[in-house]
Amino acid sequence: MSNLLTVSPSPHVHTDDSTRKIMYRVVYAMIPALIWSVFVFGLDALRVTLIAVAACLAFEYLIQKYLMKVTPSVSDGSALITGILLAFNVPSGIPWWIIVIGSLAAMGIGKLSFGGLGNNIFNPALVGRVFMLISFPAQMTSWPSIRSAGVDSLTSATPLGVIKEGLSNGLSVSEISKSLPSQVDMMLGSMGGSLGEVSALLLIIGGLYMLYKKVITWHIPVAVLASVGIIATAFWLVDPQSYVSPGYHLFSGGLMLGAIFMATDMVTSPMNPKGQIIYGVGIGVITISIRMFGSYPEGISFAILIMNAFTPLINTYVKPKRFGGK
Amino acid sequence: MNQWKNFSKGFLKENPVFVLLLGMCPTLGVTSSAINGLGMGLATTFVLLMSNMVISLVKNQIPDKVRIPSFIVIIAAFVTVVQLVMQAYVPSLYKSLGLFIPLIVVNCIVLGRAEAFASKNNVVSSAFDGLGIGLGFTFALVLLGGIREVLGSGKLFNITIYSENYVTLLFVLAPGAFIVLGYLIAIINRIKKN
Amino acid sequence: MAKRESTFINMVLTLFVVTFIAAAALGFVYDFTKDAIEVAKMKAQSEAIKKVLPEFDELGDVCKVAVASASDSVEVFPAYKGDKLVGVAVKTYTNKGFSGFISIMAGIDTSGKLFGYEVLEHSETPGLGSKMADWFRNSEKPGQNVIGKSPESSKFEVSKDGGDIDAITASTITSRAFLDAMVRAFEAYDVESEQLKIKNTSL
């Protein structure tokens, strides 16, 4: 970064930011949630994460070196993030070969086909996740039960899965809530789900660290969470027997993970605050629509991918005012 | 030699799917297996061959202003023939191709060749052109269908290659068609460049 | 030969001739393939019936049976070996599939147990819902097998809803739809068997 030619008038402020540094700050921010996932799901979580990271790094190196014939940029940390995010998005009991295929889809299709870091339209980790979700729906939706759930159950549904299932069977919300974890449990991370989505609290802590280090700005996460919260509250107030309380929507599933770590990906999100808010609200609205009316229980990954596609359009229409322009 | 050129250009140089990007709807829609691709390709080839020949025969009898409706009627007639014959003699293939058989009528390749080639050339050239483009289309569909079938259901021409427990389902679904087609076009471009 | 002018009369004449020839040709082809299409359709149906029933030599008359749970009636095919009824094939259906309509041929023997089934038509997701073609007749896994079961012996609902049949992994909706179609088949069988018994004794 430092040897770029700077053409703006002086004085200049020099920061020591580099792609590498920013990427590693994101990695630090994910560590609390990673440690928690190992605590909740056991060593399987670590195994899945290591395989995903190794596969992403290996595919980036191999494809760049032998197919694209460019100097591999493995050390910039972006493939490392993709690997961890990919692992965060799968159940811990997933077979190793599925993660490898998912990593290939993430790096090969999601990132390098577009030309590598900075050129990809879609978030690579989400491309990998959606690829796996559509390809291996059975394995991607059998979540191992968490420690506190007792030994007799091998698999457990996610809270969102339980809600969807219950509502489609015509049960009322109060009947369904009996089989749901409490909202405090969900907040802290005692629920079934993918590796990285179980503890909303630790994800928020990671997000605050990134905010403090100026890796992300508040606009996207707040816009996503606020729009989901407001829409969920509105439906809940109108008919509390058919729509669950907004707390379930905010703290369950991958919403926090998506809003804080995946929607904020610098490459695939709009550049200025106004655009970021449009983008965030779009994600929130699509997510809640899929959760309430779609056939999948969770929709954040589809929502982010759809809004990724709109990012160039948003960037075109929401430009910052040029200095001196009207 | 000239006729050979009319025939062979459909495979690589002017391949309707990989180069001209025509007829995308059946290309993406029916290629979930190699057999489907083959059936669709051959049905389209028959229609192309026959309509090209008939149109080049009658081209001087048809006034310019009613050219397109006349061509479409001729094409639609041959498509309906294919549809009836398939329904009668290969009902299972007809069932799996479903709506896409009648849709050959609106396949851009067929009308495109009628307009661009058959209405300007003689019968023999038009026949070779139709056959070449049709077989090129078939080749593309079988390739696409074969790759999707192997990756997405672990079979090729309905012969099991590996266990269904290890298939990547995405490839037999719609997104798989787009992804595989994209990479095939990239590979073809690479080959053509060299 | 010069190209024909685009005068009004030329255009009308050309279009008329083109459509007339096309229509005549199609009429001829239709006439030619009509019987073959009919035969192919019948063959597909009778092959499905053969797969779901014990050996039989003759199919009785098709009856349309109205069932209480659906607005449409279902077709029922009684099958005889000699003079004896060996079973009834029911062409049952459901609209509750993940992608809507599913048509299934279900064979029920004279003791009222399911003998076999064959999925005729569906548009479920390949690799997920489409597994129903084999999932419910896996004799190695009694939990998911429906063959040899009857509504008297087991509850035709997925185990998640309190029934006795294990659903296809990750395809609960398709499984529910499948069992819904099975229940409809038994319903039709119950209605029909009353009439057939009367007919049998009179033979």
Side-chain angles (χ1 to χ4, degrees), chain A residues 69 97 101 108-109 113 131 134-137 139, chain B residues 165-171 173 175 179 183 190:
Chain A
K69 303 207 166 63
W97 56 272
I101 293 178
I109 298 175
S113 285
F131 190 95
I134 297 174
S135 299
F136 313 104
Q139 292 95 327
Chain B
N165 297 331
Y166 297 100
V167 299
T168 308
L169 205 56
L170 180 112
F171 286 106
L173 302 174
I179 291 173
Y183 283 105
R190 182 67 179 263

Side-chain angles (χ1 to χ4, degrees), chain C residues 77-172:
Chain C
F77 307 85
Y80 300 91
K81 189 177 176 87
D83 280 344
K84 221 173 139 257
L85 184 75
V86 292
V88 170
V90 184
K91 192 177 175 187
T92 180
Y93 73 96
T94 179
N95 286 320
K96 292 183 181 159
F98 192 71
S99 321
F101 184 76
I102 302 172
S103 164
I104 302 166
M105 185 70 80
I108 301 167
D109 64 17
T110 43
S111 59
K113 291 195 175 93
L114 192 70
F115 188 82
Y117 73 88
E118 192 75 22
V119 178
L120 300 176
E121 203 179 311
H122 75 90
S123 37
E124 302 300 285
T125 320
L128 281 177
S130 69
K131 278 192 190 150
M132 70 183 155
D134 295 308
W135 179 274
F136 295 105
R137 52 179 171 205
N138 189 338
S139 51
E140 285 158 29
K141 293 194 177 135
Q144 65 192 51
N145 196 5
V146 293
I147 308 295
K149 287 183 181 166
S150 69
E152 282 94 54
S153 70
S154 32
K155 200 170 172 211
F156 270 66
E157 268 182 57
V158 294
S159 36
K160 223 184 230 175
D161 302 342
D164 292 328
I165 315 288
D166 291 342
I168 305 169
T169 322
S171 311
T172 315

Side-chain angles (χ1 to χ4, degrees), chain A:
Chain A
M1 292 296 252
S2 54
N3 51 14
L4 281 180
L5 184 65
T6 313
V7 286
S8 62
S10 63
H12 302 296
V13 180
H14 180 76
T15 72
D16 63 345
D17 278 351
S18 66
T19 310
R20 202 186 145 94
K21 275 208 167 144
I22 292 173
M23 292 296 175
Y24 279 100
R25 281 181 194 142
V26 180
V27 175
Y28 299 147
M30 291 190 287
I31 285 177
L34 179 61
I35 293 173
W36 177 254
S37 75
V38 177
F39 176 71
V40 174
F41 297 111
L43 282 177
D44 260 352
L46 198 62
R47 178 189 67 101
V48 168
T49 313
L50 287 178
I51 294 172
V53 168
C56 281
L57 291 172
F59 282 128
E60 174 149 277
Y61 181 81
L62 292 173
I63 295 174
Q64 284 191 322
K65 183 156 181 154
Y66 295 107
L67 273 175
M68 298 170 73
K69 303 207 166 63
V70 294
T71 322
S73 57
V74 174
S75 63
D76 69 10
S78 64
L80 179 63
I81 294 178
T82 305
I84 298 176
L85 281 178
L86 202 62
F88 271 17
N89 271 303
V90 298
S92 62
I94 198 157
W96 65 270
W97 56 272
I98 292 185
I99 314 170
V100 174
I101 293 178
S103 308
L104 180 60
M107 301 313 291
I109 298 175
K111 187 173 168 193
L112 296 172
S113 285
F114 291 95
L117 183 68
N119 297 317
N120 48 312
I121 301 171
F122 300 105
N123 185 322
L126 281 175
V127 172
R129 175 196 144 80
V130 169
F131 190 95
M132 288 190 282
L133 182 67
I134 297 174
S135 299
F136 313 104
Q139 292 95 327
M140 282 293 285
T141 48
S142 28
W143 285 278
S145 60
I146 52 171
R147 285 191 174 180
S148 60
V151 279
D152 58 332
S153 62
L154 279 173
T155 58
S156 62
T158 61
L160 284 174
V162 172
I163 293 167
K164 190 107 207 171
E165 184 79 42
L167 287 177
S168 70
N169 277 350
L171 297 178
S172 72
V173 169
S174 48
E175 285 171 287
I176 300 169
S177 343
K178 283 178 214 142
S179 45
L180 285 177
S182 75
Q183 293 190 24
V184 178
D185 273 350
M186 284 167 42
M187 172 91 184
L188 293 176
S190 290
M191 62 175 186
S194 301
L195 282 191
E197 69 183 22
V198 288
S199 173
L201 186 67
L202 292 175
L203 291 169
I204 294 174
I205 291 174
L208 290 177
Y209 169 78
M210 289 199 295
L211 262 180
Y212 169 69
K213 284 283 181 187
K214 297 203 171 69
V215 178
I216 59 171
T217 58
W218 59 270
H219 304 86
I220 295 175
V222 169
V224 174
L225 297 175
S227 51
V228 167
I230 290 168
I231 298 172
T233 310
F235 274 96
W236 178 61
L237 286 177
V238 172
D239 187 359
Q241 280 308 310
S242 314
Y243 297 98
V244 291
S245 75
Y248 282 114
H249 279 296
L250 286 177
F251 298 127
S252 68
L255 187 72
M256 286 291 167
L257 180 63
I260 296 171
F261 286 97
M262 294 192 288
T264 53
D265 174 25
M266 286 182 174
V267 180
T268 56
S269 60
M271 286 184 290
N272 63 70
K274 207 167 147 197
Q276 288 176 344
I277 286 176
I278 298 175
Y279 169 86
V281 170
I283 292 174
V285 170
I286 298 171
T287 304
I288 200 89
S289 312
I290 294 176
R291 282 186 179 184
M292 282 177 174
F293 312 111
S295 56
Y296 281 96
E298 172 61 308
I300 180 94
S301 33
F302 296 108
I304 297 177
L305 285 177
I306 292 170
M307 290 313 289
N308 279 168
F310 279 102
T311 297
L313 192 69
I314 295 174
N315 274 338
T316 310
Y317 284 101
V318 190
K319 272 187 191 147
K321 206 175 274 175
R322 251 177 300 144
F323 184 69
K326 280 185 183 172

